[in-house]
Amino acid sequence: GENVEQHPSTLSVQEGDSAVIKCTYSDSASNYFPWYKQELGKRPQLIIDIRSNVGEKKDQRIAVTLNKTAKHFSLHITETQPEDSAVYFCAPKGVRGSARQLTFGSGTQLTVLP
Amino acid sequence: ETGVTQTPRHLVMGMTNKKSLKCEQHLGHNAMYWYKQSAKKPLELMFVYSLEERVENNSVPSRFSPECPNSSHLFLHLHTLQPEDSALYLCASSQALQGDYGYTFGSGTRLTVV
């Protein structure tokens, strides 16, 4: 099955600075790499995803980069704002059991300090 | 609303009670999932359904019993739970089990076992 590690587990940045969260995975057959954001007391929401035939994808202030050779992908948030404070989860899609499924990382608590 | 609705939002039950969690999706998705989210732990996949057929049961104790009567509804029947089962139970759906599709989560049921 897929082993997923996410670093750091907590991250504090000043408003306006950039934040980077890294996710490493073990299943070389994984080919779909999403990031989810979960605000306090709310449901996880998909914020950006990338497929294995692409190295980078950007959506306004957030971007995801993928290194398939090294089996890691990263979430980049630029010009951070207080509303970016949340827990972020990576969830690469690899083989688990009888089907390909998302395996969630342990999460990164991002705090943006005003 | 996200298109995935979970009821109830909060549930307190004794260890000898029987209760059910309900999930309904209005997105036309074919796959549905139950996740358990405990404090300080990654999201734990419990059950996977594709077109009403259970695809995966991740070694979940028999005191949790899922039911998927049609592709829009998913239930989690609970009986003789333990205090350590207290957690946020999240339902999710995706367009299909296979393929690179993100998951849409419901808001969850906060379960407390006393």
Side-chain angles (χ1 to χ4, degrees):
Chain A
E2 179 90 273
N3 289 320
V4 178
E5 290 190 6
Q6 196 175 326
H7 296 283
S9 56
T10 60
L11 178 60
S12 291
V13 298
Q14 290 294 135
E15 184 176 356
D17 287 350
S18 296
V20 181
I21 304 169
K22 184 177 178 179
C23 183
T24 59
Y25 60 94
S26 61
D27 186 354
S28 56
S30 295
N31 57 9
Y32 174 64
F33 307 92
W35 283 95
Y36 287 80
K37 174 184 181 182
Q38 187 175 25
E39 296 177 68
L40 188 63
K42 296 192 175 181
R43 62 186 178 86
Q45 287 186 275
L46 176 69
I47 55 171
I48 196 166
D49 57 13
I50 195 169
R51 288 160 178 81
S52 59
N53 57 344
V54 178
E56 181 175 359
K57 181 178 178 180
K58 191 172 181 181
D59 182 3
Q60 298 181 18
R61 294 186 300 107
I62 60 172
V64 55
T65 57
L66 172 65
N67 185 328
K68 276 217 81 179
T69 303
K71 289 191 277 188
H72 65 75
F73 62 112
S74 297
L75 176 68
H76 305 255
I77 306 174
T78 59
E79 300 170 35
T80 53
Q81 301 168 4
E83 52 265 37
D84 295 328
S85 296
V87 179
Y88 291 83
F89 296 96
C90 63
K93 193 169 193 180
V95 175
R96 283 186 59 182
S98 58
R100 291 180 61 245
Q101 302 163 23
L102 300 184
T103 299
F104 283 81
S106 53
T108 297
Q109 173 69 62
L110 173 65
T111 303
V112 180
L113 305 168
Chain B
E1 278 298 337
T2 67
V4 179
T5 303
Q6 286 188 246
T7 54
R9 294 294 301 273
H10 300 274
L11 177 63
V12 179
M13 60 185 288
M15 289 190 282
T16 58
N17 291 161
K18 288 185 180 181
K19 296 286 184 184
S20 295
L21 310 185
K22 180 182 176 182
C23 177
E24 185 174 358
Q25 59 96 2
H26 309 280
L27 301 168
H29 288 173
N30 288 329
M32 297 186 77
Y33 313 82
W34 278 117
Y35 279 87
K36 176 183 179 182
Q37 187 174 35
S38 306
K40 310 294 184 186
K41 284 188 175 182
L43 278 78
E44 299 172 55
L45 179 64
M46 300 176 73
F47 300 104
V48 180
Y49 276 84
S50 176
L51 296 170
E52 303 141 47
E53 180 180 341
R54 191 191 305 181
V55 174
E56 198 69 32
N57 173 350
N58 280 350
S59 303
V60 179
S62 59
R63 57 185 183 270
F64 295 92
S65 175
E67 179 190 1
C68 188
N70 55 63
S71 59
S72 298
H73 293 86
L74 185 64
F75 295 89
L76 188 62
H77 304 299
L78 316 171
H79 64 97
T80 59
L81 293 193
Q82 305 298 312
E84 59 265 29
D85 297 322
S86 298
L88 180 67
Y89 288 85
L90 289 162
C91 172
S93 70
S94 67
Q95 191 168 334
L97 184 64
Q98 301 301 333
D100 301 331
Y101 303 109
Y103 292 4
T104 301
F105 283 87
S107 297
T109 295
R110 173 70 62 186
L111 173 67
T112 304
V113 181
V114 297

